[in-house]
Amino acid sequence: MEMQLNQAIESFIDYLEMIDRSKSTQNDYRYSLSKFNEFLQNKHNGPVYVEDIVLQDLEDFLMYEKERGMASASRSSMLYTIKSFYNYMCKKDLCDKNIALLLEPIKVKQKERDYLTEEEFEQLVNVITSPLIRAVIQTMFYTGGRITEITNLKLEDVDLENNILHIIGGKGNKDRDIPISLKLHKILTNYLKNVRRPEVKTDRFFTTNKTGRVSNNYVNGCIRNAVIKLDWDKEISAHNLRHSFSSNLLEKGASVVSIQKLLGHSNLAVTTRYLHQDKSVLNDKVNLL
């Protein structure tokens, strides 16, 4: 069966929808594969059929992205997408063999992210003037929630009576519950009582007065401005607060498995990349023997 690459890509995205992969995953896959299709169309001066693609085409595409300056982590993600796409095509008999299996893995150098101690986080909070943004970043720091998970929270997802934060449709379309600490309970109660005043109808928990929601870019912009005010030599974004949550819990004695469940990771290896301990703490650990 002859099929153009762009048609196979649409079929793959429809399949992802059918198996309930999240919209963000579908969009990521669509973006990477559309870049792949665009590259091959330019290389071959026209539409490309799946059965005409050879291993050299895949290698040329990944080399093209490398020469354009794409980071190794992003290229590794693209490689994973291509392999998933070819797995699907082989399963559906859209191609004779899985040439993507012959691609060499891309070595990704793990860069340790900056993270904040509790004291540093308090300094950050104190220079942010918006009560709304303070409440948003405190929620991220005290729950380890992803920025999209927190900004998408609905009023019904925040159960202050039972001290539970319901994350609905997180990464991988997975739901999870995160306990609300006593400290965070006070913050969220104060936010509802004294800060949340939307002028439009909205069921969002975190909302500006005018729009009925709060954007991820706005949150990250406020964090960047706070870091500049503090004159820190750190790269801090909303995602660093997730790393900070896990690292501070680890230092206070929480198990890696507990942290894994709170972060919503299915793979423990992913969780370990979120954990940081300074050398003095590590020195204390080896001296326990």
Side-chain angles (χ1 to χ4, degrees), residues 17 38 70 141 148 166 184 205 208 222 248 255 278 282:
E17 171 78 26
E38 182 183 325
M70 180 178 281
F141 184 82
T148 300
H166 301 292
L184 181 59
F205 186 83
T208 62
C222 290
N248 281 292
S255 72
D278 63 37
L282 294 174

Side-chain angles (χ1 to χ4, degrees), residues 159-182:
D159 185 352
L160 292 174
E161 185 176 340
N162 295 304
N163 298 323
I164 294 292
L165 203 71
H166 301 292
I167 302 295
I168 308 299
K171 191 171 182 180
N173 221 23
K174 292 180 290 189
D175 300 342
R176 71 185 189 281
D177 289 341
I178 304 175
I180 297 173
S181 67
L182 294 175

